[in-house]
Amino acid sequence: MCELFGVSASVPISVNGLLKEFFSHSTEHPNGWGMATFHGNAASLEKEPTPAFRSSYLKARLAHPLETEGMIAHIRLATVGSTDYENCHPFVQRDCFHRCWTLAHNGTMFHCPALAPYQYVQEGRTDSERILCCLIDRLDRMAAEIGHELTAEDRFRFLDRFVCEMTPGNKMNFLLYDGELLYVHTNYANSLYVAQLPNGALFATTPLGHSRWTPAPFTTLCAYKAGRLVYTGTNHGNEYIDNEADTHFLFLDFAAL
């Protein structure tokens, strides 16, 4: 399973130490790394299809101060899709109003026919990228129907319905940023935590540093703005529980990488 790290803050915070600890976990998650830092409605994306602990680029990057109000980072343990650059997270796409969406996903979409058509338009081969392709396509259709760009509340309500539809039978931990809101979701027990800071919030698959971490809200989509929880969605109750059939699917797919 992959690992996620995210930041939502009202002021720039230093993340060098947290990222060094986070990326040290790549010895067990060796199939690529990536991070996106946010500047309003723009994402600066850096990623490689190599283990983070072996990346000379990442080592040099973290040797200099890195402060940010918002970011998403990911280390990959491949389950669907080969270990190529196109399959490394995060994924970035713009909607029809040029809003920039950035997604990092930790999990597998085992039972989701709605994503199948997007394998023909995505750049890589991951089910994670297909989530973003589907999301953007549906958002664009909704915007065309109503004739204007969605508000922050509209976007959240749309995402809440989307998550409720996509989660049955699927492991869907993710961090998603839309240029304004950071969406946070987990439906797999003990796999996403939050640490509230005076000026922001941190999110991680495994607690990092010396902050006080608590489990993120479970089976419920949440949205943060500048480190503050602003929207809480439906408790859909679609917890993902490991099972033999899905484990067999992963074994077959991984053997094909």
Side-chain angles (χ1 to χ4, degrees):
M1 202 166 86
C2 307
E3 288 197 20
L4 304 170
F5 172 70
V7 176
S8 174
S10 59
V11 298
I13 62 173
S14 174
V15 292
N16 289 73
L18 292 164
L19 286 175
K20 287 177 181 178
E21 182 179 354
F22 173 72
F23 285 124
S24 74
H25 300 170
S26 63
T27 54
E28 297 180 1
H29 302 78
N31 302 124
W33 68 272
M35 62 181 180
T37 51
F38 305 123
H39 316 277
N41 188 38
S44 177
L45 183 64
E46 302 164 90
K47 57 185 184 179
E48 289 181 306
T50 57
F53 71 90
R54 290 182 181 165
S55 172
S56 57
Y57 173 89
L58 182 59
K59 182 178 180 180
R61 182 74 168 89
L62 296 181
H64 300 279
L66 177 54
E67 295 186 345
T68 184
E69 296 177 15
M71 82 172 306
I72 292 174
H74 184 275
I75 46 176
R76 185 171 182 238
L77 181 61
T79 54
V80 177
S82 59
T83 54
D84 297 320
Y85 176 87
E86 292 80 5
N87 294 327
C88 294
H89 304 226
F91 302 100
V92 178
Q93 290 191 34
R94 288 187 179 269
D95 64 25
C96 62
F97 287 96
H98 305 289
R99 180 173 292 277
C100 185
W101 295 77
T102 304
L103 170 73
H105 172 224
N106 168 10
T108 304
M109 306 299 285
F110 295 101
H111 312 284
C112 198
L115 297 184
Y118 300 95
Q119 65 183 300
Y120 303 108
V121 298
Q122 66 183 130
E123 294 183 4
R125 300 302 303 164
T126 66
D127 51 358
S128 306
E129 186 186 2
R130 290 195 284 277
I131 295 172
L132 186 58
C133 290
C134 181
L135 187 157
I136 296 297
D137 185 33
R138 292 189 181 188
L139 274 172
D140 287 348
R141 291 188 206 174
M142 183 175 177
E145 289 175 3
I146 64 177
H148 58 78
E149 186 174 6
L150 279 64
T151 66
E153 185 173 358
D154 290 338
R155 297 193 304 274
F156 181 80
R157 297 306 167 199
F158 167 85
L159 261 295
D160 189 44
R161 294 190 297 271
F162 184 84
V163 167
C164 290
E165 176 189 346
M166 296 290 171
T167 46
N170 296 308
K171 187 189 297 182
M172 202 173 177
N173 291 0
F174 66 81
L175 299 176
L176 172 69
Y177 186 68
D178 71 359
E180 181 179 1
L181 302 175
L182 180 67
Y183 305 89
V184 178
H185 179 267
T186 176
N187 69 334
Y188 188 61
N190 306 313
S191 61
L192 193 61
Y193 295 84
V194 56
Q196 199 66 50
L197 307 178
N199 296 310
L202 306 174
F203 308 91
T205 300
T206 302
L208 306 168
H210 303 292
S211 299
R212 182 176 178 271
W213 294 84
T214 58
F218 196 57
T219 63
T220 304
L221 181 70
C222 294
Y224 290 76
K225 182 176 182 179
R228 183 172 61 90
L229 178 63
V230 291
Y231 296 115
T232 301
T234 306
N235 186 344
H236 53 71
N238 298 321
E239 178 181 2
Y240 179 79
I241 299 174
D242 292 320
N243 63 82
E244 186 175 346
D246 289 348
T247 301
H248 182 65
F249 167 84
L250 287 181
F251 174 79
L252 293 177
D253 200 74
F254 189 78
L257 294 179

